[in-house]
Amino acid sequence: MKKFKWSKFVIIFIALFLMFYSLIFFISKNKYFRNEVFLFIDSGVNTVREIIDIPIFYVSQSFSGVNELFNTYKENDYLREQLSKFETKDREYQILLEENKELRFALDIKESFEGLNILTGKVILRSPVAWLNYVTIDIGEYDGVLNHMLLISNGGLAGKVEKIHSTTTDVTLITNLSNTDGIPVKIKTEKEDVFGVLTDYDEKNDLLIISQLNTKMAITSGDEVFTSGLDGQSVSGISVGKVKMIDDKEPLNIKIYVVPTVDFSNLSYVSLIGE
């Protein structure tokens, strides 16, 4: 039985081989049929190639998209880092510009008040809870600081000496004069100088208040205000600000509201000036 099956298999194999060989022979002799067969095979190969290429294309696109995403993240990190460095350098540049401006004002003060005692220092302490009340600067008794000296910042009046230590000085700002004697000032009008005392500060509107006027005549908005030195202790001629408005509702208590020369949000390099 086994012998029979093996011989049958051999016969079938020989028959298939002869058929295949005959087919090849027929194709090789028939040009048209040969071309059709080649076209069919080529079409089948192209179809298989397209089927294989589709997933390969999408996979490659996915990898390309992931790669672009990683590149975008890296680029964003780099740009954020560069922006942070630029912002830091810009802040440093602005600080240096402001310090340069303040030092130039300090130099101008020395030239404008030649012959007076002028000391330049830096604000080293300013409490957030008393921002508009006091500052401490890094010069004191050893540097020649005296009582009744006035504090100048950016060319304008900022405060007056409160307490002198050996190497530092506490200064009362002019935005905190309500509990002190005030500072005598003069308002330069077109007709005459009007004298008064800088006594208070309107924090809501950021305006200094002058009262105790010798007259209210001729005062108009825009008139400049300077220290008068009429107390016999302080220096005259320091810029205080410009008149904003006049409150004469109470004839016996007329108030002049003044836009300060100094920007009290930023005090860095300052000068003390006295006789």
Side-chain angles (χ1 to χ4, degrees), residues 62-155:
S62 299
F63 277 111
S64 177
V66 171
N67 189 45
E68 287 182 4
L69 184 62
F70 276 116
N71 288 338
T72 301
Y73 275 124
K74 289 172 67 176
E75 185 178 359
N76 284 349
D77 287 339
Y78 173 77
L79 290 174
R80 277 195 291 267
E81 182 181 354
Q82 293 302 311
L83 181 61
S84 177
K85 288 181 180 179
F86 176 78
E87 290 175 346
T88 301
K89 289 185 180 294
D90 184 62
R91 283 195 296 270
E92 292 174 353
Y93 175 70
Q94 293 301 326
I95 291 171
L96 289 173
L97 276 182
E98 191 63 32
E99 289 181 352
N100 182 270
K101 178 182 176 183
E102 291 172 347
L103 289 171
R104 284 183 179 276
F105 272 119
L107 184 61
D108 290 340
I109 288 295
K110 287 188 176 183
E111 293 177 352
S112 300
F113 294 89
E114 191 175 357
L116 296 178
N117 187 14
I118 301 173
L119 305 171
T120 299
K122 188 175 183 179
V123 174
I124 58 172
L125 181 62
R126 192 176 186 184
S127 172
V129 297
W131 190 254
L132 293 174
N133 295 344
Y134 304 97
V135 295
T136 299
I137 59 177
D138 63 353
I139 51 177
E141 184 179 0
Y142 292 165
D143 302 288
V145 177
L146 303 172
N147 290 318
H148 311 300
M149 276 186 155
L150 298 178
L151 184 75
I152 299 176
S153 174
N154 290 332

Side-chain angles (χ1 to χ4, degrees), residues 254-270:
I254 298 172
K255 294 180 180 179
I256 307 298
Y257 288 83
V258 176
V259 179
T261 301
V262 175
D263 178 9
F264 290 95
S265 65
N266 182 26
L267 296 177
S268 182
Y269 284 96
V270 293

Side-chain angles (χ1 to χ4, degrees), residues 6-23:
W6 176 250
S7 61
K8 189 177 180 180
F9 172 76
V10 172
I11 292 169
I12 293 172
F13 176 76
I14 292 171
L16 290 174
F17 176 77
L18 290 173
M19 289 176 61
F20 179 74
Y21 183 79
S22 299
L23 180 62

